[in-house]
Amino acid sequence: MGLMHYNGWGVKQDYNEAFKWYNRAAGQNYVLAQLMLGVMQYKNEDYSEAAKWYSKAAEQGNVWAQLELGLMYENGKGVMQDKSEAFKWYSKAAEQGQANAQFILGRMYENGDGVVQNKPKAAKWYSQSAEQGIPGAQYNLANMYYKGDGVRQDFSEAFKLYSKLAEHEDADAQFMMGLMYEKGEGVKQDIYEAAKLYIKAKAQGYAKAQCKIGDMYYNGTGMPQSNSEALKCYTQAAEQGLAEAQFKLGGMYYHGEGMLWGSKSEAFNWYSKAAEQGHAKAQFNVGVMYAKGEGVRQNNQEALKWYRMAAEQGLVEAQYNIGLMYHEGEGVRQDYPEALKWFHKAAEQGDGLAQYNLGHMYYSGEGVRRNQSEAVIWWRKAAQQGDKNAQSALKKLGETW
């Protein structure tokens, strides 16, 4: 009777009457009635009552109630938030084959959310959910195969899963298939097929695909070379907040590419947006523009701040520039030990200028005890990269490279 009144089957639809009949049946421990009371109370936003009835049905093994109760514990609706309790109920539903619960369980194992992180178990649950057609599980499992994360890396398996999703116009999957065609991962390399897939994803407003098509126009690979078209694509992606596109758009404004004339202030604007998102090369460029006073008032302290952000991410150019600022006392108090530290970082990454300057500091005893042998080591590394100053310094010492 409850279902008839709830759905209007053979009688006038009447939720109050349905609630009355469900309540009677639930009082006799009828599991479906308990589930439906949970549903109705949830819709009425009486979450504590919903949790009560879901709990009764879940304890009797109802898979939908177990799933809903897990969601309530995960989100703290009607009950105190408790990820461990959520995990318990998701597990019960997943073990009964509930596809959404299997997907959520995979996510919890993947992220270590409410349970100790376990990537192989995440893959196991994603796989079971994916077989039942849950798109999120298919995508996450594909990513795991693509990266070899929790499973043996298998580009072919990743491509197969992405393909299933792409058939339903999934932009994430279209983008990943495009990437695989571009790189020849799990499929024969085909830049034109990559372009087709990127275009499909781009048509759905997918920022990474917009940026990729921008790259193709800019470089003339897979698309006819066109700076103006590249500019349009980068702008679309940049306006969605994609840091890589913001960085590239900044470069186009800086160099005046795809437009009648450039704009240093507009370049600074876009570099800054990318830099604020942690894009290391953009942080470096913001530093350069502050140092030169391009598009912004000259400020060595700001330059140093942004160089440092990029350097801490390992960007060699920024490490070198910090070393130079401390060595020359540009915008900071001259500090040879600090210069030595940053030249070392850049030199160890193979930067020839840093290697030469580091050799010079060892040779001259700047910020460190004079050490000709150490100077020769670094000059030799720089000379082997074609640094003329290093080669000249070695010649004077009668050293070869």
Side-chain angles (χ1 to χ4, degrees):
M1 289 294 289
L3 274 174
M4 293 178 72
H5 283 289
Y6 186 83
N7 294 302
W9 292 341
V11 294
K12 184 180 178 182
Q13 190 176 50
D14 187 331
Y15 291 137
N16 291 328
E17 196 66 19
F19 186 85
K20 181 180 78 175
W21 286 104
Y22 284 143
N23 210 31
R24 286 184 186 178
Q28 297 177 50
N29 219 28
Y30 184 58
V31 68
L32 290 178
Q34 292 169 341
L35 173 67
M36 288 307 298
L37 282 175
V39 170
M40 293 187 77
Q41 295 289 26
Y42 192 93
K43 286 183 177 178
N44 290 335
E45 298 185 4
D46 189 342
Y47 299 125
S48 59
E49 275 297 301
K52 180 185 87 174
W53 288 111
Y54 281 145
S55 183
K56 289 179 183 291
E59 285 165 1
Q60 290 198 69
N62 183 274
V63 68
W64 290 104
Q66 290 169 344
L67 173 64
E68 293 297 331
L69 190 58
L71 287 166
M72 296 191 83
Y73 273 112
E74 183 175 9
N75 297 307
K77 274 195 170 182
V79 292
M80 186 174 292
Q81 189 178 47
D82 187 334
K83 297 291 183 73
S84 297
E85 194 68 14
F87 176 80
K88 181 183 88 173
W89 289 109
Y90 289 142
S91 295
K92 289 180 182 291
E95 285 161 5
Q96 291 194 70
Q98 213 292 327
N100 289 308
Q102 291 169 339
F103 167 60
I104 295 170
L105 207 56
R107 173 177 53 75
M108 293 183 85
Y109 271 120
E110 183 177 13
N111 299 323
D113 187 18
V115 64
V116 175
Q117 188 179 54
N118 189 318
K119 297 292 183 72
K121 282 189 177 180
K124 170 194 144 185
W125 287 112
Y126 282 149
S127 181
Q128 291 186 30
S129 180
E131 285 171 5
Q132 296 192 65
I134 299 299
Q138 292 171 338
Y139 184 74
N140 286 6
L141 184 61
N143 286 344
M144 294 184 88
Y145 276 116
Y146 183 79
K147 297 172 185 174
D149 189 19
V151 293
R152 182 179 56 81
Q153 189 175 49
D154 189 333
F155 288 138
S156 296
E157 190 63 27
F159 188 84
K160 183 172 75 175
L161 287 161
Y162 289 137
S163 296
K164 286 181 182 179
L165 292 163
E167 287 169 5
H168 300 285
E169 302 304 317
D170 185 290
D172 289 296
Q174 289 169 340
F175 175 78
M176 287 305 300
M177 285 180 70
L179 197 63
M180 294 182 82
Y181 270 116
E182 185 179 0
K183 294 181 177 180
E185 294 172 331
V187 65
K188 186 178 178 181
Q189 190 174 39
D190 188 332
I191 195 69
Y192 298 103
E193 195 63 33
K196 287 179 190 176
L197 286 155
Y198 288 146
I199 288 168
K200 286 183 179 181
K202 177 181 177 291
Q204 297 186 62
Y206 195 77
K208 288 182 180 178
Q210 291 167 340
C211 188
K212 273 289 185 182
I213 292 295
D215 291 342
M216 289 180 146
Y217 274 121
Y218 187 81
N219 297 312
T221 54
M223 303 293 287
Q225 203 286 327
S226 172
N227 284 345
S228 59
E229 286 298 319
L231 184 72
K232 289 178 190 175
C233 294
Y234 289 148
T235 301
Q236 289 173 344
E239 287 174 349
Q240 290 195 66
L242 188 70
E244 183 65 14
Q246 291 169 340
F247 168 70
K248 289 174 176 175
L249 187 58
M252 295 196 79
Y253 275 108
Y254 187 90
H255 297 290
E257 296 172 314
M259 58 193 78
L260 291 176
W261 52 79
S263 169
K264 294 294 197 294
S265 60
E266 196 65 16
F268 180 82
N269 173 50
W270 287 110
Y271 282 146
S272 295
K273 289 179 185 293
E276 284 161 8
Q277 293 192 67
H279 193 291
K281 289 183 179 179
Q283 290 170 339
F284 174 73
N285 284 5
V286 168
V288 169
M289 295 187 81
Y290 269 118
K292 294 181 177 180
E294 292 181 326
V296 66
R297 186 183 294 275
Q298 200 276 341
N299 188 323
N300 279 327
Q301 289 301 311
E302 280 294 309
L304 181 63
K305 181 184 88 172
W306 289 104
Y307 286 152
R308 195 177 294 276
M309 288 183 188
E312 285 169 356
Q313 293 193 65
L315 192 72
V316 67
E317 302 98 307
Q319 292 169 344
Y320 173 77
N321 277 18
I322 293 174
L324 201 60
M325 289 182 81
Y326 277 111
H327 188 268
E328 302 301 320
E330 290 179 0
V332 292
R333 181 178 57 80
Q334 190 175 53
D335 186 334
Y336 286 148
E338 193 68 12
L340 188 83
K341 180 183 87 172
W342 288 105
F343 282 146
H344 245 296
K345 288 178 183 289
E348 284 165 1
Q349 290 199 70
D351 185 87
L353 289 172
Q355 290 167 345
Y356 169 73
N357 285 359
L358 192 57
H360 173 78
M361 292 188 79
Y362 274 112
Y363 186 78
S364 303
E366 295 176 341
V368 66
R369 185 185 295 275
R370 190 176 186 281
N371 188 328
Q372 183 171 311
S373 298
E374 192 69 16
V376 167
I377 289 170
W378 289 109
W379 279 339
R380 186 168 284 139
K381 288 178 185 289
Q384 287 168 355
Q385 294 193 66
D387 188 283
K388 300 298 183 187
N389 290 325
Q391 291 171 357
S392 177
L394 289 169
K395 279 181 183 178
K396 287 177 183 177
L397 295 176
E399 297 284 349
T400 61
W401 63 89

